[in-house]
Amino acid sequence: AREGAAEVFFNLASTLSQGRSTDLALIYIRFALYLRPDFPIAQLLLGGLLEGLNRGDEAVATYDAVSRTSPLYWAARLRKAAALDDLKRDDEAIAELRGMAAERPKDPDAPIRLGDLFRANERFEDAIAAYSEAIKRIGKLEKRHWSLLYARGIAYERAKRWPQAEADFLHALKLSPEQPYVLNYLGYSWVDKGLHLDKAKKMIRRAVELRPNDGYIVDSLGWVLY
């Protein structure tokens, strides 16, 4: 009966969290965890609510409380690393993700998150190494992996390694040709370097068609026309 009531409170909290009723969602999820302390999916929801309220330290503690035997333990650790990064506890976040990458040597999730963290902190060479490790673990890239190539391409570009960046952007477009952010980034970069102007203009025009309300992409079209 307690577990059933906990499920009811969790479902209420989950529904409320999708709107603007964060405070009420927080109350219901606390009820759920009071009735069923070992309730991993509720702990993840609580952690997310706490992060949204800028209570990162409490969120980290919540993720730490998820049982090691739970199938959601890995997801909790990924979220913990993101919360640590938001708290500017970068060294702890990096250590967590590196430990996870070592634990599952074939899983690309931790290296991808590590690359995102390094890129956000402008450690571009470290980001490239992490993304490259993730790509190595994946092996054959599929359409859904375009975003990984896009992320590594940005890191290459910011590290002033344009040939490698260009290759990643082109590969991403080969996997998924209609990605407006890749079209825009590559097109803008070509224009900025005075390369392939006609092709760049077509790419950016297509990006604008796909994202007509994105100011950054529309600005790129202005730049190529200029």
Side-chain angles (χ1 to χ4, degrees), residues 107-119:
D107 193 319
D109 286 348
I112 290 172
R113 299 294 182 93
L114 193 57
D116 292 341
L117 189 156
F118 283 135
R119 183 162 59 91

PDB file of all heavy atoms in Angstrom, residues 107-119:
ATOM      1  N   ASP A 107      31.222   2.135 -23.443  1.00  0.00           N
ATOM      2  CA  ASP A 107      30.065   3.036 -23.391  1.00  0.00           C
ATOM      3  C   ASP A 107      30.507   4.460 -23.730  1.00  0.00           C
ATOM      4  O   ASP A 107      31.404   5.002 -23.074  1.00  0.00           O
ATOM      5  CB  ASP A 107      29.446   2.991 -21.995  1.00  0.00           C
ATOM      6  CG  ASP A 107      28.082   3.651 -21.948  1.00  0.00           C
ATOM      7  OD1 ASP A 107      27.906   4.707 -22.582  1.00  0.00           O
ATOM      8  OD2 ASP A 107      27.181   3.111 -21.277  1.00  0.00           O
ATOM      9  N   PRO A 108      29.888   5.109 -24.736  1.00  0.00           N
ATOM     10  CA  PRO A 108      30.314   6.456 -25.133  1.00  0.00           C
ATOM     11  C   PRO A 108      29.709   7.584 -24.302  1.00  0.00           C
ATOM     12  O   PRO A 108      30.118   8.734 -24.437  1.00  0.00           O
ATOM     13  CB  PRO A 108      29.828   6.558 -26.580  1.00  0.00           C
ATOM     14  CG  PRO A 108      28.596   5.706 -26.616  1.00  0.00           C
ATOM     15  CD  PRO A 108      28.860   4.564 -25.663  1.00  0.00           C
ATOM     16  N   ASP A 109      28.740   7.284 -23.421  1.00  0.00           N
ATOM     17  CA  ASP A 109      28.018   8.347 -22.719  1.00  0.00           C
ATOM     18  C   ASP A 109      28.934   9.258 -21.900  1.00  0.00           C
ATOM     19  O   ASP A 109      28.868  10.491 -22.007  1.00  0.00           O
ATOM     20  CB  ASP A 109      26.944   7.760 -21.797  1.00  0.00           C
ATOM     21  CG  ASP A 109      25.751   7.244 -22.567  1.00  0.00           C
ATOM     22  OD1 ASP A 109      25.651   7.542 -23.777  1.00  0.00           O
ATOM     23  OD2 ASP A 109      24.912   6.532 -21.970  1.00  0.00           O
ATOM     24  N   ALA A 110      29.761   8.662 -21.048  1.00  0.00           N
ATOM     25  CA  ALA A 110      30.618   9.465 -20.172  1.00  0.00           C
ATOM     26  C   ALA A 110      31.621  10.306 -20.964  1.00  0.00           C
ATOM     27  O   ALA A 110      31.789  11.495 -20.676  1.00  0.00           O
ATOM     28  CB  ALA A 110      31.324   8.571 -19.151  1.00  0.00           C
ATOM     29  N   PRO A 111      32.306   9.742 -21.985  1.00  0.00           N
ATOM     30  CA  PRO A 111      33.203  10.595 -22.781  1.00  0.00           C
ATOM     31  C   PRO A 111      32.482  11.744 -23.480  1.00  0.00           C
ATOM     32  O   PRO A 111      33.031  12.847 -23.591  1.00  0.00           O
ATOM     33  CB  PRO A 111      33.809   9.620 -23.798  1.00  0.00           C
ATOM     34  CG  PRO A 111      33.752   8.296 -23.126  1.00  0.00           C
ATOM     35  CD  PRO A 111      32.476   8.311 -22.324  1.00  0.00           C
ATOM     36  N   ILE A 112      31.247  11.508 -23.934  1.00  0.00           N
ATOM     37  CA  ILE A 112      30.490  12.592 -24.576  1.00  0.00           C
ATOM     38  C   ILE A 112      30.208  13.699 -23.572  1.00  0.00           C
ATOM     39  O   ILE A 112      30.411  14.894 -23.863  1.00  0.00           O
ATOM     40  CB  ILE A 112      29.173  12.062 -25.181  1.00  0.00           C
ATOM     41  CG1 ILE A 112      29.466  11.177 -26.388  1.00  0.00           C
ATOM     42  CG2 ILE A 112      28.266  13.224 -25.588  1.00  0.00           C
ATOM     43  CD1 ILE A 112      28.240  10.448 -26.932  1.00  0.00           C
ATOM     44  N   ARG A 113      29.735  13.333 -22.386  1.00  0.00           N
ATOM     45  CA  ARG A 113      29.468  14.340 -21.360  1.00  0.00           C
ATOM     46  C   ARG A 113      30.745  15.056 -20.952  1.00  0.00           C
ATOM     47  O   ARG A 113      30.737  16.261 -20.688  1.00  0.00           O
ATOM     48  CB  ARG A 113      28.829  13.683 -20.127  1.00  0.00           C
ATOM     49  CG  ARG A 113      27.506  13.004 -20.378  1.00  0.00           C
ATOM     50  CD  ARG A 113      26.417  13.984 -20.767  1.00  0.00           C
ATOM     51  NE  ARG A 113      25.148  13.310 -20.950  1.00  0.00           N
ATOM     52  CZ  ARG A 113      24.222  13.166 -20.013  1.00  0.00           C
ATOM     53  NH1 ARG A 113      24.422  13.690 -18.807  1.00  0.00           N
ATOM     54  NH2 ARG A 113      23.096  12.531 -20.261  1.00  0.00           N
ATOM     55  N   LEU A 114      31.852  14.312 -20.912  1.00  0.00           N
ATOM     56  CA  LEU A 114      33.135  14.911 -20.568  1.00  0.00           C
ATOM     57  C   LEU A 114      33.535  15.927 -21.639  1.00  0.00           C
ATOM     58  O   LEU A 114      34.010  17.028 -21.330  1.00  0.00           O
ATOM     59  CB  LEU A 114      34.191  13.814 -20.440  1.00  0.00           C
ATOM     60  CG  LEU A 114      35.529  14.166 -19.799  1.00  0.00           C
ATOM     61  CD1 LEU A 114      35.343  14.729 -18.408  1.00  0.00           C
ATOM     62  CD2 LEU A 114      36.419  12.924 -19.749  1.00  0.00           C
ATOM     63  N   GLY A 115      33.325  15.566 -22.905  1.00  0.00           N
ATOM     64  CA  GLY A 115      33.624  16.499 -23.986  1.00  0.00           C
ATOM     65  C   GLY A 115      32.782  17.758 -23.898  1.00  0.00           C
ATOM     66  O   GLY A 115      33.284  18.878 -24.093  1.00  0.00           O
ATOM     67  N   ASP A 116      31.491  17.592 -23.584  1.00  0.00           N
ATOM     68  CA  ASP A 116      30.610  18.755 -23.442  1.00  0.00           C
ATOM     69  C   ASP A 116      31.089  19.670 -22.320  1.00  0.00           C
ATOM     70  O   ASP A 116      31.069  20.896 -22.447  1.00  0.00           O
ATOM     71  CB  ASP A 116      29.177  18.303 -23.149  1.00  0.00           C
ATOM     72  CG  ASP A 116      28.531  17.605 -24.336  1.00  0.00           C
ATOM     73  OD1 ASP A 116      29.022  17.778 -25.473  1.00  0.00           O
ATOM     74  OD2 ASP A 116      27.526  16.898 -24.131  1.00  0.00           O
ATOM     75  N   LEU A 117      31.499  19.061 -21.216  1.00  0.00           N
ATOM     76  CA  LEU A 117      31.988  19.840 -20.074  1.00  0.00           C
ATOM     77  C   LEU A 117      33.249  20.615 -20.446  1.00  0.00           C
ATOM     78  O   LEU A 117      33.358  21.815 -20.164  1.00  0.00           O
ATOM     79  CB  LEU A 117      32.260  18.898 -18.897  1.00  0.00           C
ATOM     80  CG  LEU A 117      32.577  19.512 -17.533  1.00  0.00           C
ATOM     81  CD1 LEU A 117      32.226  18.521 -16.430  1.00  0.00           C
ATOM     82  CD2 LEU A 117      34.046  19.897 -17.396  1.00  0.00           C
ATOM     83  N   PHE A 118      34.198  19.935 -21.082  1.00  0.00           N
ATOM     84  CA  PHE A 118      35.440  20.606 -21.481  1.00  0.00           C
ATOM     85  C   PHE A 118      35.160  21.734 -22.476  1.00  0.00           C
ATOM     86  O   PHE A 118      35.734  22.819 -22.378  1.00  0.00           O
ATOM     87  CB  PHE A 118      36.408  19.603 -22.099  1.00  0.00           C
ATOM     88  CG  PHE A 118      37.126  18.726 -21.111  1.00  0.00           C
ATOM     89  CD1 PHE A 118      37.254  17.356 -21.330  1.00  0.00           C
ATOM     90  CD2 PHE A 118      37.694  19.268 -19.971  1.00  0.00           C
ATOM     91  CE1 PHE A 118      37.929  16.547 -20.429  1.00  0.00           C
ATOM     92  CE2 PHE A 118      38.371  18.467 -19.059  1.00  0.00           C
ATOM     93  CZ  PHE A 118      38.488  17.107 -19.286  1.00  0.00           C
ATOM     94  N   ARG A 119      34.261  21.480 -23.433  1.00  0.00           N
ATOM     95  CA  ARG A 119      33.961  22.498 -24.444  1.00  0.00           C
ATOM     96  C   ARG A 119      33.312  23.729 -23.806  1.00  0.00           C
ATOM     97  O   ARG A 119      33.645  24.867 -24.153  1.00  0.00           O
ATOM     98  CB  ARG A 119      33.058  21.906 -25.526  1.00  0.00           C
ATOM     99  CG  ARG A 119      32.751  22.857 -26.670  1.00  0.00           C
ATOM    100  CD  ARG A 119      32.247  22.083 -27.888  1.00  0.00           C
ATOM    101  NE  ARG A 119      31.047  21.316 -27.592  1.00  0.00           N
ATOM    102  CZ  ARG A 119      29.796  21.794 -27.758  1.00  0.00           C
ATOM    103  NH1 ARG A 119      29.600  23.018 -28.212  1.00  0.00           N
ATOM    104  NH2 ARG A 119      28.754  21.034 -27.482  1.00  0.00           N
TER     105      ARG A 119
END
